[in-house]
Amino acid sequence: MAEIRLFLTQSQGRRRDMTDEILRRYRDSIDNIDAALVFMLAERFKITQAVGEYKATTNLPPADPGREERQIERLRQLAKDAKLDPDFTEKFLRFIIDEVIRHHEQIRDEAS
Amino acid sequence: MAEIRLFLTQSQGRRRDMTDEILRRYRDSIDNIDAALVFMLAERFKITQAVGEYKATTNLPPADPGREERQIERLRQLAKDAKLDPDFTEKFLRFIIDEVIRHHEQIRDEAS
């Protein structure tokens, strides 16, 4: 009886080790992608910061509704190609653009 | 007078062309980064989908609060390295994780 119990415990232990290893590999990939996303976002905000400053010096209007529409349409199409939910992708772009607008408002408030 | 007006119009036209060219270059870079973000996100959701299915077959609990805390802490540090707002980065990760949870709930509802 004690031997059977020991066998079961070892078997469960091995299965758990394997489970942990598989899960760990998935998580390593997620962590790599998240790091890439963070550095991509940092680069994106560097550019939108430059755009904001450029628009301010050239007296271009800060918002450009036509541009936003075209961005959304393009990203929805790319999402379909990548088998990603287009609605989520549109929500994602709006999430980023909201942050860009917040930055531009900060620049404006600091300048005034 | 007509000549001066013509000169001014031409000069303004040239300046606008240059402005448009500079803005177009910035926007091309933003569009490239956005495409990269979309494809990265598609890959990330492919992995979290696999994790969800794996957890369901191995009877692992769907949520893992310790893991989420570690992810947030790591990304906040990466954000600082990349000169990106850590609070925004945390909000961004939660935005993504909310979508992952929504997917997992869909898988669960379809299975039941």
Side-chain angles (χ1 to χ4, degrees):
Chain A
M1 190 61 186
E3 271 166 28
I4 292 170
R5 213 175 298 136
L6 178 66
F7 172 76
L8 281 176
T9 312
Q10 282 179 336
S11 166
Q12 282 168 344
R14 261 200 303 277
R15 211 171 51 201
R16 179 160 306 156
D17 285 350
M18 208 177 69
T19 304
D20 286 353
E21 175 60 19
I22 292 171
L23 196 58
R24 195 185 58 74
R25 282 192 201 177
Y26 280 136
R27 287 177 168 177
D28 281 351
S29 293
I30 292 169
D31 287 346
N32 284 346
I33 291 174
D34 283 349
L37 288 170
V38 164
F39 286 108
M40 282 279 175
L41 283 173
E43 197 56 28
R44 194 188 194 284
F45 284 116
K46 267 176 64 179
I47 302 172
T48 50
Q49 170 99 6
V51 169
E53 287 161 5
Y54 179 68
K55 280 184 169 179
T57 55
T58 52
N59 288 322
L60 282 166
D64 184 345
R67 159 77 176 154
E68 201 176 310
E69 285 311 309
R70 287 191 301 276
Q71 277 175 292
I72 287 169
E73 214 31 70
R74 176 176 172 269
L75 282 199
R76 287 187 71 95
Q77 190 53 54
L78 284 177
K80 283 178 206 162
D81 297 343
K83 298 189 182 68
L84 187 66
D85 179 0
D87 291 339
F88 168 76
T89 306
E90 181 170 343
K91 233 169 64 182
F92 169 75
L93 184 65
R94 290 196 188 278
F95 177 83
I96 303 293
I97 290 176
D98 283 351
E99 183 70 9
V100 172
I101 292 169
R102 210 176 61 79
H103 287 189
H104 286 182
E105 283 170 353
Q106 273 176 346
I107 294 173
R108 193 198 54 201
D109 294 348
E110 279 162 15
S112 67
Chain B
M1 188 62 188
E3 271 166 28
I4 292 171
R5 212 176 296 134
L6 178 66
F7 171 76
L8 281 175
T9 311
Q10 282 178 336
S11 165
Q12 281 168 345
R14 262 200 302 277
R15 210 172 52 198
R16 179 160 305 157
D17 285 350
M18 208 178 70
T19 305
D20 287 354
E21 175 60 20
I22 292 172
L23 195 59
R24 195 185 59 72
R25 282 191 200 177
Y26 280 137
R27 286 176 167 177
D28 282 351
S29 293
I30 291 169
D31 287 346
N32 284 345
I33 290 174
D34 283 349
L37 287 170
V38 164
F39 287 109
M40 283 280 176
L41 282 173
E43 198 56 29
R44 194 189 194 283
F45 283 117
K46 267 175 64 180
I47 302 172
T48 50
Q49 170 99 7
V51 169
E53 287 161 6
Y54 179 68
K55 281 184 169 180
T57 56
T58 52
N59 288 322
L60 282 165
D64 184 345
R67 157 78 175 152
E68 202 176 310
E69 286 310 309
R70 287 190 301 276
Q71 278 175 290
I72 288 169
E73 214 31 69
R74 175 176 173 269
L75 282 200
R76 288 185 70 95
Q77 191 52 53
L78 284 178
K80 282 178 207 160
D81 296 344
K83 297 188 183 68
L84 187 65
D85 178 359
D87 291 338
F88 168 76
T89 305
E90 181 170 344
K91 234 169 65 181
F92 170 77
L93 184 65
R94 291 197 187 276
F95 177 82
I96 303 293
I97 290 177
D98 283 350
E99 183 70 9
V100 172
I101 292 169
R102 210 177 61 80
H103 287 189
H104 287 184
E105 283 170 352
Q106 273 176 346
I107 295 173
R108 193 197 55 198
D109 294 348
E110 281 163 11
S112 64

Coordinates of all heavy atoms in Angstrom, one line a residue, chain A residues 29-60:
Chain A
S29 N 7.7 32.9 -23.8 CA 7.4 33.5 -25.1 C 6.5 34.7 -24.9 O 6.7 35.8 -25.5 CB 6.6 32.5 -26.0 OG 7.5 31.5 -26.3
I30 N 5.5 34.7 -24.0 CA 4.7 35.8 -23.7 C 5.5 37.0 -23.1 O 5.4 38.1 -23.6 CB 3.6 35.4 -22.7 CG1 2.6 34.5 -23.3 CG2 2.9 36.7 -22.1 CD1 1.6 33.9 -22.4
D31 N 6.5 36.6 -22.2 CA 7.4 37.7 -21.7 C 8.2 38.3 -22.8 O 8.4 39.5 -22.7 CB 8.2 37.1 -20.6 CG 7.4 36.8 -19.3 OD1 6.3 37.3 -19.2 OD2 8.0 36.1 -18.4
N32 N 8.7 37.5 -23.7 CA 9.5 38.1 -24.8 C 8.7 39.0 -25.6 O 9.1 40.1 -26.0 CB 10.0 37.0 -25.7 CG 11.2 36.2 -25.1 OD1 11.8 36.7 -24.1 ND2 11.5 35.1 -25.6
I33 N 7.5 38.6 -26.0 CA 6.6 39.4 -26.8 C 6.2 40.7 -26.0 O 6.2 41.8 -26.6 CB 5.3 38.7 -27.2 CG1 5.7 37.6 -28.2 CG2 4.3 39.6 -27.8 CD1 4.6 36.6 -28.6
D34 N 6.0 40.6 -24.7 CA 5.6 41.8 -24.0 C 6.8 42.8 -23.9 O 6.6 44.0 -24.0 CB 5.2 41.4 -22.5 CG 3.8 40.9 -22.5 OD1 3.1 41.0 -23.5 OD2 3.4 40.3 -21.4
A35 N 8.0 42.3 -23.8 CA 9.2 43.2 -23.9 C 9.2 43.9 -25.2 O 9.4 45.1 -25.3 CB 10.4 42.4 -23.6
A36 N 9.0 43.1 -26.3 CA 9.0 43.7 -27.6 C 7.9 44.8 -27.8 O 8.1 45.9 -28.3 CB 8.8 42.6 -28.7
L37 N 6.7 44.5 -27.2 CA 5.6 45.5 -27.3 C 6.0 46.8 -26.5 O 5.7 47.9 -27.0 CB 4.3 44.9 -26.7 CG 3.6 43.8 -27.5 CD1 2.5 43.1 -26.6 CD2 3.0 44.3 -28.7
V38 N 6.6 46.6 -25.4 CA 6.9 47.8 -24.6 C 8.0 48.7 -25.3 O 7.8 49.9 -25.4 CB 7.5 47.4 -23.2 CG1 8.3 48.6 -22.5 CG2 6.4 46.9 -22.3
F39 N 9.0 48.0 -25.9 CA 10.0 48.8 -26.7 C 9.4 49.4 -27.9 O 9.8 50.5 -28.3 CB 11.2 48.0 -26.9 CG 12.0 47.8 -25.7 CD1 12.1 46.5 -25.0 CD2 12.7 48.8 -25.1 CE1 12.8 46.3 -23.9 CE2 13.5 48.6 -23.9 CZ 13.5 47.4 -23.3
M40 N 8.5 48.7 -28.6 CA 7.8 49.3 -29.8 C 7.0 50.5 -29.4 O 6.9 51.5 -30.1 CB 6.8 48.2 -30.4 CG 7.5 47.2 -31.2 SD 7.9 47.8 -32.8 CE 8.8 46.4 -33.5
L41 N 6.2 50.3 -28.3 CA 5.4 51.5 -27.8 C 6.3 52.7 -27.4 O 5.9 53.8 -27.8 CB 4.6 51.0 -26.6 CG 3.3 50.2 -26.9 CD1 2.7 49.7 -25.6 CD2 2.3 50.9 -27.7
A42 N 7.4 52.4 -26.8 CA 8.3 53.5 -26.4 C 8.7 54.3 -27.7 O 8.8 55.5 -27.7 CB 9.5 53.0 -25.7
E43 N 9.0 53.5 -28.8 CA 9.5 54.1 -30.0 C 8.3 54.9 -30.7 O 8.5 56.0 -31.2 CB 9.9 53.0 -31.0 CG 10.8 53.5 -32.1 CD 12.0 54.3 -31.7 OE1 12.5 54.1 -30.6 OE2 12.4 55.1 -32.5
R44 N 7.1 54.3 -30.6 CA 5.9 55.0 -31.1 C 5.7 56.3 -30.5 O 5.4 57.3 -31.1 CB 4.7 54.1 -31.0 CG 3.5 54.5 -31.9 CD 2.3 53.7 -31.6 NE 1.2 53.9 -32.6 CZ 0.5 55.0 -32.7 NH1 0.6 56.0 -31.8 NH2 -0.5 55.0 -33.6
F45 N 5.8 56.3 -29.1 CA 5.5 57.6 -28.4 C 6.6 58.6 -28.7 O 6.4 59.8 -28.6 CB 5.4 57.3 -26.9 CG 4.0 56.8 -26.6 CD1 3.9 55.5 -26.0 CD2 2.8 57.5 -26.8 CE1 2.6 55.0 -25.7 CE2 1.6 57.0 -26.5 CZ 1.5 55.7 -26.0
K46 N 7.9 58.2 -28.9 CA 8.9 59.1 -29.3 C 8.5 59.8 -30.6 O 8.8 61.0 -30.7 CB 10.2 58.3 -29.5 CG 11.1 58.3 -28.3 CD 12.4 57.4 -28.6 CE 13.3 58.0 -29.6 NZ 14.5 57.1 -29.8
I47 N 8.0 59.1 -31.6 CA 7.6 59.7 -32.8 C 6.4 60.6 -32.7 O 6.4 61.7 -33.2 CB 7.3 58.6 -33.9 CG1 8.5 57.7 -34.1 CG2 6.9 59.2 -35.2 CD1 8.3 56.5 -35.0
T48 N 5.4 60.2 -31.9 CA 4.2 61.0 -31.8 C 4.6 62.3 -31.0 O 4.0 63.4 -31.2 CB 3.0 60.3 -31.1 OG1 3.4 59.6 -29.9 CG2 2.4 59.3 -32.1
Q49 N 5.5 62.2 -30.1 CA 6.0 63.3 -29.4 C 6.7 64.3 -30.4 O 6.4 65.5 -30.4 CB 7.1 62.9 -28.4 CG 7.9 64.0 -27.7 CD 7.4 64.4 -26.3 OE1 6.5 63.7 -25.8 NE2 8.0 65.4 -25.8
A50 N 7.5 63.8 -31.3 CA 8.1 64.6 -32.3 C 7.0 65.3 -33.2 O 7.1 66.4 -33.6 CB 9.1 63.8 -33.2
V51 N 6.0 64.5 -33.6 CA 4.9 65.0 -34.4 C 4.2 66.2 -33.7 O 3.9 67.2 -34.3 CB 3.9 63.9 -34.7 CG1 2.6 64.5 -35.4 CG2 4.5 62.9 -35.7
G52 N 3.9 66.0 -32.4 CA 3.3 67.0 -31.6 C 4.1 68.3 -31.6 O 3.5 69.4 -31.8
E53 N 5.4 68.2 -31.4 CA 6.3 69.4 -31.3 C 6.3 70.0 -32.7 O 6.3 71.2 -32.9 CB 7.7 69.0 -30.9 CG 7.7 68.7 -29.4 CD 8.9 67.9 -29.0 OE1 9.8 67.6 -29.8 OE2 9.0 67.5 -27.8
Y54 N 6.4 69.2 -33.8 CA 6.5 69.7 -35.1 C 5.2 70.4 -35.5 O 5.2 71.5 -36.1 CB 6.7 68.5 -36.1 CG 6.8 68.9 -37.5 CD1 7.8 69.6 -38.0 CD2 5.7 68.5 -38.4 CE1 7.9 70.0 -39.3 CE2 5.8 68.9 -39.7 CZ 6.9 69.6 -40.2 OH 6.9 70.0 -41.5
K55 N 4.0 69.8 -35.1 CA 2.8 70.5 -35.4 C 2.6 71.8 -34.7 O 2.1 72.8 -35.3 CB 1.6 69.6 -35.0 CG 1.3 68.5 -36.0 CD 0.1 67.7 -35.6 CE -0.4 66.7 -36.7 NZ -1.6 65.9 -36.2
A56 N 3.2 71.9 -33.5 CA 3.1 73.1 -32.7 C 3.9 74.2 -33.4 O 3.5 75.4 -33.5 CB 3.6 72.9 -31.3
T57 N 5.1 73.9 -33.9 CA 6.0 74.9 -34.5 C 5.5 75.3 -35.9 O 5.8 76.4 -36.4 CB 7.5 74.4 -34.7 OG1 7.5 73.1 -35.4 CG2 8.1 74.2 -33.3
T58 N 4.8 74.4 -36.6 CA 4.3 74.7 -38.0 C 2.9 75.2 -38.0 O 2.3 75.3 -39.1 CB 4.5 73.5 -38.9 OG1 3.9 72.4 -38.3 CG2 6.0 73.2 -39.2
N59 N 2.3 75.3 -36.8 CA 0.9 75.7 -36.7 C -0.1 74.8 -37.4 O -1.1 75.2 -37.9 CB 0.7 77.2 -37.2 CG 1.3 78.2 -36.2 OD1 1.2 78.0 -35.0 ND2 1.9 79.2 -36.7
L60 N 0.2 73.5 -37.5 CA -0.7 72.5 -38.0 C -1.7 72.2 -36.9 O -1.3 72.2 -35.7 CB 0.1 71.3 -38.4 CG 0.8 71.3 -39.8 CD1 1.8 70.2 -39.9 CD2 -0.2 71.3 -40.9

